[in-house]
Amino acid sequence: MKKWLIPVIIIALLIIAGYSWGKGFNNTAVQLNENVSEAWGNVQTSYQRRNDLIGNLVNTVKGAADFERNTLTDVIEARAKATSINIDPSNVTPEQLAQYNQVQGGLSGALKSLLVTVERYPDLKSNQNFLKLQDELTSTENTIQTARTRYNEAIKPYNIHVKEFPNSLLAGFLDFDPKPYFDAEAGAEKPVDVEFDFSK
């Protein structure tokens, strides 16, 4: 074998190995990124379902005589804020996700206030449409929690893939940045005050 052929073979093998590694990294990152996008779509679908139900719930509650208008206004405004934020899952930043989480948490808080206020209205509490909507909202809240958990589960393998060495060398070059996880809503770490009033 000619001496000049050995370096050529070594260089060719290095090029093939580098190409194979780069291709493998890219294709896996694309697949994992698509899983994240799908999981994010499921989160948005769950929140959209809640927003649709809230519109029906507000219309049902509006029919109740002398119902507190401020509570309804808070829910309507919080819903408008929640639907005004759109996030591209391929370019999501921790700040965007925190803002999205904050407005969704604001809507959850306004909705809880509405449901607590309803307790003072026996006619509304026994309204079949309202009860059905309340059940559907509870189910949707569970779906949202599941979708958020699955989103975080989809993020983990993606982040591991792009952060591990030597993949991290290619990740920045190929624009595969780590993605933020869904955190708990603000105030979730505080214990809930539970009061039982048996005098009523």
Side-chain angles (χ1 to χ4, degrees):
M1 181 182 280
K2 297 181 181 177
K3 287 185 179 182
W4 63 268
L5 198 54
I6 293 173
V8 170
I9 292 172
I10 291 172
I11 290 171
L13 289 174
L14 287 175
I15 289 172
I16 291 169
Y19 172 78
S20 178
W21 168 60
K23 179 183 173 189
F25 166 79
N26 185 71
N27 290 349
T28 301
V30 167
Q31 289 171 358
L32 293 172
N33 194 36
E34 285 303 309
N35 291 343
V36 170
S37 295
E38 178 186 22
W40 179 251
N42 292 337
V43 168
Q44 288 184 308
T45 300
S46 299
Y47 277 121
Q48 183 61 51
R49 169 83 175 133
R50 179 175 72 170
N51 290 335
D52 295 343
L53 286 172
I54 288 172
N56 293 335
L57 183 71
V58 166
N59 288 333
T60 301
V61 172
K62 273 183 185 175
D66 71 355
F67 194 83
E68 286 91 342
R69 298 288 172 209
N70 290 343
T71 307
L72 280 175
T73 302
D74 290 346
V75 171
I76 292 167
E77 288 174 359
R79 180 179 177 232
K81 284 181 188 175
T83 57
S84 69
I85 294 182
N86 292 316
I87 293 179
D88 176 9
S90 62
N91 295 319
V92 67
T93 64
E95 294 79 20
Q96 289 173 324
L97 197 57
Q99 182 185 14
Y100 186 84
N101 206 19
Q102 182 180 7
V103 296
Q104 293 297 341
L107 180 54
S108 293
L111 190 55
K112 285 175 188 169
S113 295
L114 174 67
L115 295 176
V116 166
T117 304
V118 162
E119 292 297 316
R120 295 190 295 239
Y121 294 85
D123 291 343
L124 187 55
K125 281 180 16 180
S126 64
N127 179 308
Q128 291 303 311
N129 286 339
F130 178 79
L131 293 173
K132 183 179 177 203
L133 287 168
Q134 195 173 15
D135 286 344
E136 287 186 39
L137 273 171
T138 301
S139 173
T140 300
E141 290 295 330
N142 292 335
T143 303
I144 288 170
Q145 180 60 36
T146 301
R148 287 170 51 136
T149 300
R150 289 186 179 152
Y151 173 76
N152 282 349
E153 288 171 355
I155 291 266
K156 184 178 179 182
Y158 171 83
N159 280 353
I160 289 171
H161 183 69
V162 300
K163 287 180 176 180
E164 282 182 333
F165 183 82
N167 292 351
S168 58
L169 299 174
L170 273 181
F173 179 71
L174 296 176
D175 203 25
F176 287 110
D177 298 322
K179 297 182 185 299
Y181 289 95
F182 249 118
D183 289 331
E185 292 177 6
E189 73 284 355
K190 296 176 186 170
V192 177
D193 291 329
V194 178
E195 294 179 14
F196 295 102
D197 187 357
F198 294 107
S199 63
K200 292 182 180 179

PDB file of all heavy atoms in Angstrom, residues 59-97:
ATOM      1  N   ASN A  59     -72.127  32.753  29.933  1.00  0.00           N
ATOM      2  CA  ASN A  59     -73.471  33.029  29.409  1.00  0.00           C
ATOM      3  C   ASN A  59     -74.545  32.408  30.293  1.00  0.00           C
ATOM      4  O   ASN A  59     -75.604  33.000  30.500  1.00  0.00           O
ATOM      5  CB  ASN A  59     -73.600  32.510  27.974  1.00  0.00           C
ATOM      6  CG  ASN A  59     -72.812  33.363  27.005  1.00  0.00           C
ATOM      7  OD1 ASN A  59     -72.580  34.545  27.238  1.00  0.00           O
ATOM      8  ND2 ASN A  59     -72.383  32.763  25.915  1.00  0.00           N
ATOM      9  N   THR A  60     -74.293  31.243  30.836  1.00  0.00           N
ATOM     10  CA  THR A  60     -75.252  30.599  31.740  1.00  0.00           C
ATOM     11  C   THR A  60     -75.395  31.399  33.030  1.00  0.00           C
ATOM     12  O   THR A  60     -76.499  31.632  33.520  1.00  0.00           O
ATOM     13  CB  THR A  60     -74.801  29.159  32.060  1.00  0.00           C
ATOM     14  OG1 THR A  60     -74.705  28.423  30.851  1.00  0.00           O
ATOM     15  CG2 THR A  60     -75.781  28.468  32.987  1.00  0.00           C
ATOM     16  N   VAL A  61     -74.264  31.844  33.565  1.00  0.00           N
ATOM     17  CA  VAL A  61     -74.278  32.591  34.827  1.00  0.00           C
ATOM     18  C   VAL A  61     -74.898  33.969  34.638  1.00  0.00           C
ATOM     19  O   VAL A  61     -75.578  34.479  35.530  1.00  0.00           O
ATOM     20  CB  VAL A  61     -72.845  32.697  35.399  1.00  0.00           C
ATOM     21  CG1 VAL A  61     -72.802  33.631  36.592  1.00  0.00           C
ATOM     22  CG2 VAL A  61     -72.336  31.319  35.790  1.00  0.00           C
ATOM     23  N   LYS A  62     -74.705  34.573  33.463  1.00  0.00           N
ATOM     24  CA  LYS A  62     -75.283  35.898  33.201  1.00  0.00           C
ATOM     25  C   LYS A  62     -76.796  35.890  33.369  1.00  0.00           C
ATOM     26  O   LYS A  62     -77.396  36.897  33.715  1.00  0.00           O
ATOM     27  CB  LYS A  62     -74.951  36.357  31.772  1.00  0.00           C
ATOM     28  CG  LYS A  62     -73.650  37.069  31.626  1.00  0.00           C
ATOM     29  CD  LYS A  62     -73.497  37.524  30.183  1.00  0.00           C
ATOM     30  CE  LYS A  62     -72.140  38.141  29.944  1.00  0.00           C
ATOM     31  NZ  LYS A  62     -71.928  38.485  28.538  1.00  0.00           N
ATOM     32  N   GLY A  63     -77.404  34.743  33.100  1.00  0.00           N
ATOM     33  CA  GLY A  63     -78.853  34.642  33.208  1.00  0.00           C
ATOM     34  C   GLY A  63     -79.352  34.689  34.639  1.00  0.00           C
ATOM     35  O   GLY A  63     -80.532  34.902  34.866  1.00  0.00           O
ATOM     36  N   ALA A  64     -78.470  34.476  35.600  1.00  0.00           N
ATOM     37  CA  ALA A  64     -78.888  34.505  37.009  1.00  0.00           C
ATOM     38  C   ALA A  64     -79.121  35.954  37.443  1.00  0.00           C
ATOM     39  O   ALA A  64     -78.313  36.827  37.176  1.00  0.00           O
ATOM     40  CB  ALA A  64     -77.826  33.861  37.883  1.00  0.00           C
ATOM     41  N   ALA A  65     -80.239  36.175  38.079  1.00  0.00           N
ATOM     42  CA  ALA A  65     -80.578  37.532  38.518  1.00  0.00           C
ATOM     43  C   ALA A  65     -79.587  38.033  39.552  1.00  0.00           C
ATOM     44  O   ALA A  65     -79.057  37.271  40.342  1.00  0.00           O
ATOM     45  CB  ALA A  65     -81.985  37.531  39.103  1.00  0.00           C
ATOM     46  N   ASP A  66     -79.342  39.300  39.549  1.00  0.00           N
ATOM     47  CA  ASP A  66     -78.474  40.045  40.472  1.00  0.00           C
ATOM     48  C   ASP A  66     -77.131  39.357  40.766  1.00  0.00           C
ATOM     49  O   ASP A  66     -76.582  39.498  41.852  1.00  0.00           O
ATOM     50  CB  ASP A  66     -79.217  40.366  41.773  1.00  0.00           C
ATOM     51  CG  ASP A  66     -79.466  39.149  42.666  1.00  0.00           C
ATOM     52  OD1 ASP A  66     -79.162  38.009  42.257  1.00  0.00           O
ATOM     53  OD2 ASP A  66     -79.962  39.354  43.779  1.00  0.00           O
ATOM     54  N   PHE A  67     -76.607  38.624  39.791  1.00  0.00           N
ATOM     55  CA  PHE A  67     -75.297  38.001  39.987  1.00  0.00           C
ATOM     56  C   PHE A  67     -74.210  39.070  39.934  1.00  0.00           C
ATOM     57  O   PHE A  67     -74.331  40.045  39.191  1.00  0.00           O
ATOM     58  CB  PHE A  67     -75.045  36.943  38.907  1.00  0.00           C
ATOM     59  CG  PHE A  67     -73.894  36.056  39.244  1.00  0.00           C
ATOM     60  CD1 PHE A  67     -74.060  34.968  40.083  1.00  0.00           C
ATOM     61  CD2 PHE A  67     -72.622  36.322  38.766  1.00  0.00           C
ATOM     62  CE1 PHE A  67     -73.005  34.160  40.422  1.00  0.00           C
ATOM     63  CE2 PHE A  67     -71.561  35.514  39.096  1.00  0.00           C
ATOM     64  CZ  PHE A  67     -71.750  34.431  39.926  1.00  0.00           C
ATOM     65  N   GLU A  68     -73.153  38.918  40.722  1.00  0.00           N
ATOM     66  CA  GLU A  68     -72.076  39.904  40.779  1.00  0.00           C
ATOM     67  C   GLU A  68     -71.429  40.101  39.412  1.00  0.00           C
ATOM     68  O   GLU A  68     -70.802  39.207  38.874  1.00  0.00           O
ATOM     69  CB  GLU A  68     -70.982  39.470  41.777  1.00  0.00           C
ATOM     70  CG  GLU A  68     -71.365  39.628  43.222  1.00  0.00           C
ATOM     71  CD  GLU A  68     -72.018  38.384  43.784  1.00  0.00           C
ATOM     72  OE1 GLU A  68     -72.465  37.550  42.982  1.00  0.00           O
ATOM     73  OE2 GLU A  68     -72.108  38.264  45.004  1.00  0.00           O
ATOM     74  N   ARG A  69     -71.585  41.283  38.867  1.00  0.00           N
ATOM     75  CA  ARG A  69     -71.047  41.580  37.536  1.00  0.00           C
ATOM     76  C   ARG A  69     -69.525  41.667  37.551  1.00  0.00           C
ATOM     77  O   ARG A  69     -68.872  41.325  36.573  1.00  0.00           O
ATOM     78  CB  ARG A  69     -71.640  42.891  36.991  1.00  0.00           C
ATOM     79  CG  ARG A  69     -73.135  42.841  36.804  1.00  0.00           C
ATOM     80  CD  ARG A  69     -73.516  41.970  35.636  1.00  0.00           C
ATOM     81  NE  ARG A  69     -74.953  41.781  35.574  1.00  0.00           N
ATOM     82  CZ  ARG A  69     -75.533  40.722  35.076  1.00  0.00           C
ATOM     83  NH1 ARG A  69     -74.818  39.733  34.614  1.00  0.00           N
ATOM     84  NH2 ARG A  69     -76.842  40.620  35.051  1.00  0.00           N
ATOM     85  N   ASN A  70     -68.946  42.114  38.668  1.00  0.00           N
ATOM     86  CA  ASN A  70     -67.480  42.230  38.731  1.00  0.00           C
ATOM     87  C   ASN A  70     -66.802  40.879  38.564  1.00  0.00           C
ATOM     88  O   ASN A  70     -65.781  40.757  37.901  1.00  0.00           O
ATOM     89  CB  ASN A  70     -67.047  42.859  40.066  1.00  0.00           C
ATOM     90  CG  ASN A  70     -67.417  44.318  40.150  1.00  0.00           C
ATOM     91  OD1 ASN A  70     -67.712  44.947  39.147  1.00  0.00           O
ATOM     92  ND2 ASN A  70     -67.405  44.853  41.356  1.00  0.00           N
ATOM     93  N   THR A  71     -67.386  39.864  39.160  1.00  0.00           N
ATOM     94  CA  THR A  71     -66.814  38.524  39.058  1.00  0.00           C
ATOM     95  C   THR A  71     -66.841  38.042  37.619  1.00  0.00           C
ATOM     96  O   THR A  71     -65.856  37.495  37.111  1.00  0.00           O
ATOM     97  CB  THR A  71     -67.593  37.537  39.954  1.00  0.00           C
ATOM     98  OG1 THR A  71     -67.646  38.064  41.281  1.00  0.00           O
ATOM     99  CG2 THR A  71     -66.928  36.178  39.984  1.00  0.00           C
ATOM    100  N   LEU A  72     -67.961  38.271  36.944  1.00  0.00           N
ATOM    101  CA  LEU A  72     -68.068  37.883  35.531  1.00  0.00           C
ATOM    102  C   LEU A  72     -67.082  38.667  34.673  1.00  0.00           C
ATOM    103  O   LEU A  72     -66.433  38.108  33.783  1.00  0.00           O
ATOM    104  CB  LEU A  72     -69.487  38.124  35.014  1.00  0.00           C
ATOM    105  CG  LEU A  72     -70.520  37.073  35.371  1.00  0.00           C
ATOM    106  CD1 LEU A  72     -71.903  37.496  34.900  1.00  0.00           C
ATOM    107  CD2 LEU A  72     -70.154  35.740  34.760  1.00  0.00           C
ATOM    108  N   THR A  73     -66.960  39.962  34.957  1.00  0.00           N
ATOM    109  CA  THR A  73     -66.030  40.804  34.186  1.00  0.00           C
ATOM    110  C   THR A  73     -64.601  40.312  34.352  1.00  0.00           C
ATOM    111  O   THR A  73     -63.842  40.258  33.375  1.00  0.00           O
ATOM    112  CB  THR A  73     -66.144  42.278  34.645  1.00  0.00           C
ATOM    113  OG1 THR A  73     -67.497  42.699  34.475  1.00  0.00           O
ATOM    114  CG2 THR A  73     -65.229  43.175  33.842  1.00  0.00           C
ATOM    115  N   ASP A  74     -64.231  39.935  35.575  1.00  0.00           N
ATOM    116  CA  ASP A  74     -62.879  39.415  35.816  1.00  0.00           C
ATOM    117  C   ASP A  74     -62.609  38.160  34.993  1.00  0.00           C
ATOM    118  O   ASP A  74     -61.532  37.996  34.413  1.00  0.00           O
ATOM    119  CB  ASP A  74     -62.680  39.102  37.309  1.00  0.00           C
ATOM    120  CG  ASP A  74     -62.619  40.352  38.170  1.00  0.00           C
ATOM    121  OD1 ASP A  74     -62.472  41.459  37.604  1.00  0.00           O
ATOM    122  OD2 ASP A  74     -62.727  40.219  39.404  1.00  0.00           O
ATOM    123  N   VAL A  75     -63.592  37.276  34.938  1.00  0.00           N
ATOM    124  CA  VAL A  75     -63.425  36.037  34.164  1.00  0.00           C
ATOM    125  C   VAL A  75     -63.301  36.350  32.682  1.00  0.00           C
ATOM    126  O   VAL A  75     -62.432  35.811  31.982  1.00  0.00           O
ATOM    127  CB  VAL A  75     -64.607  35.066  34.415  1.00  0.00           C
ATOM    128  CG1 VAL A  75     -64.551  33.877  33.464  1.00  0.00           C
ATOM    129  CG2 VAL A  75     -64.596  34.580  35.854  1.00  0.00           C
ATOM    130  N   ILE A  76     -64.146  37.245  32.189  1.00  0.00           N
ATOM    131  CA  ILE A  76     -64.128  37.597  30.763  1.00  0.00           C
ATOM    132  C   ILE A  76     -62.794  38.234  30.384  1.00  0.00           C
ATOM    133  O   ILE A  76     -62.188  37.909  29.354  1.00  0.00           O
ATOM    134  CB  ILE A  76     -65.314  38.525  30.418  1.00  0.00           C
ATOM    135  CG1 ILE A  76     -66.630  37.738  30.555  1.00  0.00           C
ATOM    136  CG2 ILE A  76     -65.176  39.108  29.023  1.00  0.00           C
ATOM    137  CD1 ILE A  76     -67.877  38.599  30.557  1.00  0.00           C
ATOM    138  N   GLU A  77     -62.302  39.147  31.232  1.00  0.00           N
ATOM    139  CA  GLU A  77     -61.016  39.806  30.950  1.00  0.00           C
ATOM    140  C   GLU A  77     -59.852  38.823  31.023  1.00  0.00           C
ATOM    141  O   GLU A  77     -58.940  38.862  30.190  1.00  0.00           O
ATOM    142  CB  GLU A  77     -60.802  40.968  31.926  1.00  0.00           C
ATOM    143  CG  GLU A  77     -61.708  42.161  31.650  1.00  0.00           C
ATOM    144  CD  GLU A  77     -61.590  43.253  32.701  1.00  0.00           C
ATOM    145  OE1 GLU A  77     -60.816  43.090  33.674  1.00  0.00           O
ATOM    146  OE2 GLU A  77     -62.296  44.272  32.554  1.00  0.00           O
ATOM    147  N   ALA A  78     -59.883  37.952  32.020  1.00  0.00           N
ATOM    148  CA  ALA A  78     -58.804  36.955  32.147  1.00  0.00           C
ATOM    149  C   ALA A  78     -58.815  36.009  30.956  1.00  0.00           C
ATOM    150  O   ALA A  78     -57.761  35.626  30.436  1.00  0.00           O
ATOM    151  CB  ALA A  78     -58.962  36.173  33.456  1.00  0.00           C
ATOM    152  N   ARG A  79     -59.987  35.662  30.470  1.00  0.00           N
ATOM    153  CA  ARG A  79     -60.099  34.779  29.299  1.00  0.00           C
ATOM    154  C   ARG A  79     -59.523  35.484  28.064  1.00  0.00           C
ATOM    155  O   ARG A  79     -58.829  34.864  27.252  1.00  0.00           O
ATOM    156  CB  ARG A  79     -61.561  34.411  29.075  1.00  0.00           C
ATOM    157  CG  ARG A  79     -61.760  33.507  27.876  1.00  0.00           C
ATOM    158  CD  ARG A  79     -63.244  33.147  27.729  1.00  0.00           C
ATOM    159  NE  ARG A  79     -63.467  32.354  26.552  1.00  0.00           N
ATOM    160  CZ  ARG A  79     -64.373  32.643  25.630  1.00  0.00           C
ATOM    161  NH1 ARG A  79     -65.137  33.700  25.755  1.00  0.00           N
ATOM    162  NH2 ARG A  79     -64.530  31.862  24.582  1.00  0.00           N
ATOM    163  N   ALA A  80     -59.817  36.766  27.922  1.00  0.00           N
ATOM    164  CA  ALA A  80     -59.296  37.518  26.775  1.00  0.00           C
ATOM    165  C   ALA A  80     -57.771  37.563  26.806  1.00  0.00           C
ATOM    166  O   ALA A  80     -57.106  37.391  25.774  1.00  0.00           O
ATOM    167  CB  ALA A  80     -59.875  38.930  26.768  1.00  0.00           C
ATOM    168  N   LYS A  81     -57.191  37.779  27.988  1.00  0.00           N
ATOM    169  CA  LYS A  81     -55.730  37.795  28.119  1.00  0.00           C
ATOM    170  C   LYS A  81     -55.141  36.427  27.777  1.00  0.00           C
ATOM    171  O   LYS A  81     -54.117  36.324  27.107  1.00  0.00           O
ATOM    172  CB  LYS A  81     -55.320  38.185  29.542  1.00  0.00           C
ATOM    173  CG  LYS A  81     -55.440  39.650  29.854  1.00  0.00           C
ATOM    174  CD  LYS A  81     -54.978  39.916  31.280  1.00  0.00           C
ATOM    175  CE  LYS A  81     -55.261  41.341  31.685  1.00  0.00           C
ATOM    176  NZ  LYS A  81     -54.938  41.585  33.090  1.00  0.00           N
ATOM    177  N   ALA A  82     -55.791  35.389  28.274  1.00  0.00           N
ATOM    178  CA  ALA A  82     -55.278  34.029  28.071  1.00  0.00           C
ATOM    179  C   ALA A  82     -55.285  33.637  26.596  1.00  0.00           C
ATOM    180  O   ALA A  82     -54.391  32.927  26.136  1.00  0.00           O
ATOM    181  CB  ALA A  82     -56.093  33.034  28.888  1.00  0.00           C
ATOM    182  N   THR A  83     -56.266  34.117  25.855  1.00  0.00           N
ATOM    183  CA  THR A  83     -56.341  33.754  24.438  1.00  0.00           C
ATOM    184  C   THR A  83     -55.494  34.667  23.560  1.00  0.00           C
ATOM    185  O   THR A  83     -55.319  34.385  22.379  1.00  0.00           O
ATOM    186  CB  THR A  83     -57.806  33.784  23.942  1.00  0.00           C
ATOM    187  OG1 THR A  83     -58.356  35.079  24.180  1.00  0.00           O
ATOM    188  CG2 THR A  83     -58.638  32.732  24.632  1.00  0.00           C
ATOM    189  N   SER A  84     -54.943  35.726  24.131  1.00  0.00           N
ATOM    190  CA  SER A  84     -54.162  36.673  23.318  1.00  0.00           C
ATOM    191  C   SER A  84     -52.699  36.267  23.156  1.00  0.00           C
ATOM    192  O   SER A  84     -51.989  36.816  22.328  1.00  0.00           O
ATOM    193  CB  SER A  84     -54.230  38.076  23.932  1.00  0.00           C
ATOM    194  OG  SER A  84     -53.527  38.103  25.161  1.00  0.00           O
ATOM    195  N   ILE A  85     -52.245  35.299  23.933  1.00  0.00           N
ATOM    196  CA  ILE A  85     -50.831  34.900  23.877  1.00  0.00           C
ATOM    197  C   ILE A  85     -50.686  33.627  23.059  1.00  0.00           C
ATOM    198  O   ILE A  85     -51.321  32.618  23.354  1.00  0.00           O
ATOM    199  CB  ILE A  85     -50.263  34.694  25.290  1.00  0.00           C
ATOM    200  CG1 ILE A  85     -50.248  36.023  26.031  1.00  0.00           C
ATOM    201  CG2 ILE A  85     -48.874  34.101  25.230  1.00  0.00           C
ATOM    202  CD1 ILE A  85     -49.674  35.945  27.419  1.00  0.00           C
ATOM    203  N   ASN A  86     -49.847  33.709  22.039  1.00  0.00           N
ATOM    204  CA  ASN A  86     -49.538  32.541  21.214  1.00  0.00           C
ATOM    205  C   ASN A  86     -48.040  32.282  21.293  1.00  0.00           C
ATOM    206  O   ASN A  86     -47.244  33.212  21.230  1.00  0.00           O
ATOM    207  CB  ASN A  86     -49.940  32.765  19.757  1.00  0.00           C
ATOM    208  CG  ASN A  86     -51.442  32.836  19.596  1.00  0.00           C
ATOM    209  OD1 ASN A  86     -52.160  32.038  20.171  1.00  0.00           O
ATOM    210  ND2 ASN A  86     -51.916  33.800  18.824  1.00  0.00           N
ATOM    211  N   ILE A  87     -47.673  31.023  21.405  1.00  0.00           N
ATOM    212  CA  ILE A  87     -46.258  30.653  21.528  1.00  0.00           C
ATOM    213  C   ILE A  87     -45.905  29.663  20.431  1.00  0.00           C
ATOM    214  O   ILE A  87     -46.650  28.717  20.179  1.00  0.00           O
ATOM    215  CB  ILE A  87     -45.982  30.034  22.915  1.00  0.00           C
ATOM    216  CG1 ILE A  87     -46.157  31.094  24.001  1.00  0.00           C
ATOM    217  CG2 ILE A  87     -44.586  29.441  22.980  1.00  0.00           C
ATOM    218  CD1 ILE A  87     -45.920  30.580  25.408  1.00  0.00           C
ATOM    219  N   ASP A  88     -44.766  29.908  19.798  1.00  0.00           N
ATOM    220  CA  ASP A  88     -44.229  28.970  18.815  1.00  0.00           C
ATOM    221  C   ASP A  88     -43.367  27.967  19.576  1.00  0.00           C
ATOM    222  O   ASP A  88     -42.336  28.337  20.138  1.00  0.00           O
ATOM    223  CB  ASP A  88     -43.391  29.734  17.782  1.00  0.00           C
ATOM    224  CG  ASP A  88     -42.713  28.821  16.781  1.00  0.00           C
ATOM    225  OD1 ASP A  88     -43.020  27.606  16.774  1.00  0.00           O
ATOM    226  OD2 ASP A  88     -41.890  29.318  16.000  1.00  0.00           O
ATOM    227  N   PRO A  89     -43.777  26.686  19.628  1.00  0.00           N
ATOM    228  CA  PRO A  89     -43.042  25.720  20.447  1.00  0.00           C
ATOM    229  C   PRO A  89     -41.610  25.496  19.987  1.00  0.00           C
ATOM    230  O   PRO A  89     -40.769  25.078  20.768  1.00  0.00           O
ATOM    231  CB  PRO A  89     -43.868  24.435  20.321  1.00  0.00           C
ATOM    232  CG  PRO A  89     -44.653  24.600  19.079  1.00  0.00           C
ATOM    233  CD  PRO A  89     -44.896  26.070  18.927  1.00  0.00           C
ATOM    234  N   SER A  90     -41.307  25.803  18.737  1.00  0.00           N
ATOM    235  CA  SER A  90     -39.936  25.587  18.261  1.00  0.00           C
ATOM    236  C   SER A  90     -38.989  26.682  18.754  1.00  0.00           C
ATOM    237  O   SER A  90     -37.782  26.488  18.779  1.00  0.00           O
ATOM    238  CB  SER A  90     -39.904  25.499  16.737  1.00  0.00           C
ATOM    239  OG  SER A  90     -40.352  26.713  16.163  1.00  0.00           O
ATOM    240  N   ASN A  91     -39.543  27.828  19.147  1.00  0.00           N
ATOM    241  CA  ASN A  91     -38.703  28.940  19.613  1.00  0.00           C
ATOM    242  C   ASN A  91     -39.114  29.445  20.992  1.00  0.00           C
ATOM    243  O   ASN A  91     -38.880  30.603  21.312  1.00  0.00           O
ATOM    244  CB  ASN A  91     -38.772  30.113  18.609  1.00  0.00           C
ATOM    245  CG  ASN A  91     -38.182  29.754  17.276  1.00  0.00           C
ATOM    246  OD1 ASN A  91     -37.150  29.097  17.204  1.00  0.00           O
ATOM    247  ND2 ASN A  91     -38.841  30.157  16.209  1.00  0.00           N
ATOM    248  N   VAL A  92     -39.741  28.603  21.796  1.00  0.00           N
ATOM    249  CA  VAL A  92     -40.232  29.052  23.095  1.00  0.00           C
ATOM    250  C   VAL A  92     -39.068  29.385  24.024  1.00  0.00           C
ATOM    251  O   VAL A  92     -38.055  28.692  24.058  1.00  0.00           O
ATOM    252  CB  VAL A  92     -41.174  27.991  23.714  1.00  0.00           C
ATOM    253  CG1 VAL A  92     -40.430  26.736  24.061  1.00  0.00           C
ATOM    254  CG2 VAL A  92     -41.883  28.545  24.936  1.00  0.00           C
ATOM    255  N   THR A  93     -39.239  30.490  24.752  1.00  0.00           N
ATOM    256  CA  THR A  93     -38.230  30.904  25.732  1.00  0.00           C
ATOM    257  C   THR A  93     -38.827  30.733  27.131  1.00  0.00           C
ATOM    258  O   THR A  93     -40.061  30.695  27.283  1.00  0.00           O
ATOM    259  CB  THR A  93     -37.834  32.374  25.540  1.00  0.00           C
ATOM    260  OG1 THR A  93     -38.979  33.205  25.799  1.00  0.00           O
ATOM    261  CG2 THR A  93     -37.314  32.629  24.127  1.00  0.00           C
ATOM    262  N   PRO A  94     -37.981  30.655  28.152  1.00  0.00           N
ATOM    263  CA  PRO A  94     -38.520  30.559  29.519  1.00  0.00           C
ATOM    264  C   PRO A  94     -39.430  31.745  29.867  1.00  0.00           C
ATOM    265  O   PRO A  94     -40.427  31.581  30.563  1.00  0.00           O
ATOM    266  CB  PRO A  94     -37.266  30.552  30.391  1.00  0.00           C
ATOM    267  CG  PRO A  94     -36.182  30.033  29.513  1.00  0.00           C
ATOM    268  CD  PRO A  94     -36.525  30.524  28.127  1.00  0.00           C
ATOM    269  N   GLU A  95     -39.099  32.931  29.353  1.00  0.00           N
ATOM    270  CA  GLU A  95     -39.905  34.119  29.642  1.00  0.00           C
ATOM    271  C   GLU A  95     -41.293  34.004  29.015  1.00  0.00           C
ATOM    272  O   GLU A  95     -42.298  34.351  29.628  1.00  0.00           O
ATOM    273  CB  GLU A  95     -39.207  35.392  29.131  1.00  0.00           C
ATOM    274  CG  GLU A  95     -37.912  35.720  29.833  1.00  0.00           C
ATOM    275  CD  GLU A  95     -36.727  34.882  29.353  1.00  0.00           C
ATOM    276  OE1 GLU A  95     -36.782  34.309  28.234  1.00  0.00           O
ATOM    277  OE2 GLU A  95     -35.743  34.777  30.115  1.00  0.00           O
ATOM    278  N   GLN A  96     -41.347  33.531  27.762  1.00  0.00           N
ATOM    279  CA  GLN A  96     -42.634  33.367  27.087  1.00  0.00           C
ATOM    280  C   GLN A  96     -43.498  32.342  27.819  1.00  0.00           C
ATOM    281  O   GLN A  96     -44.692  32.559  28.015  1.00  0.00           O
ATOM    282  CB  GLN A  96     -42.437  32.899  25.637  1.00  0.00           C
ATOM    283  CG  GLN A  96     -41.876  33.938  24.704  1.00  0.00           C
ATOM    284  CD  GLN A  96     -41.560  33.340  23.336  1.00  0.00           C
ATOM    285  OE1 GLN A  96     -41.131  32.197  23.230  1.00  0.00           O
ATOM    286  NE2 GLN A  96     -41.759  34.125  22.300  1.00  0.00           N
ATOM    287  N   LEU A  97     -42.887  31.241  28.210  1.00  0.00           N
ATOM    288  CA  LEU A  97     -43.639  30.196  28.896  1.00  0.00           C
ATOM    289  C   LEU A  97     -44.119  30.686  30.262  1.00  0.00           C
ATOM    290  O   LEU A  97     -45.240  30.386  30.671  1.00  0.00           O
ATOM    291  CB  LEU A  97     -42.787  28.935  29.042  1.00  0.00           C
ATOM    292  CG  LEU A  97     -43.548  27.654  29.360  1.00  0.00           C
ATOM    293  CD1 LEU A  97     -44.624  27.354  28.326  1.00  0.00           C
ATOM    294  CD2 LEU A  97     -42.599  26.478  29.465  1.00  0.00           C
TER     295      LEU A  97
END
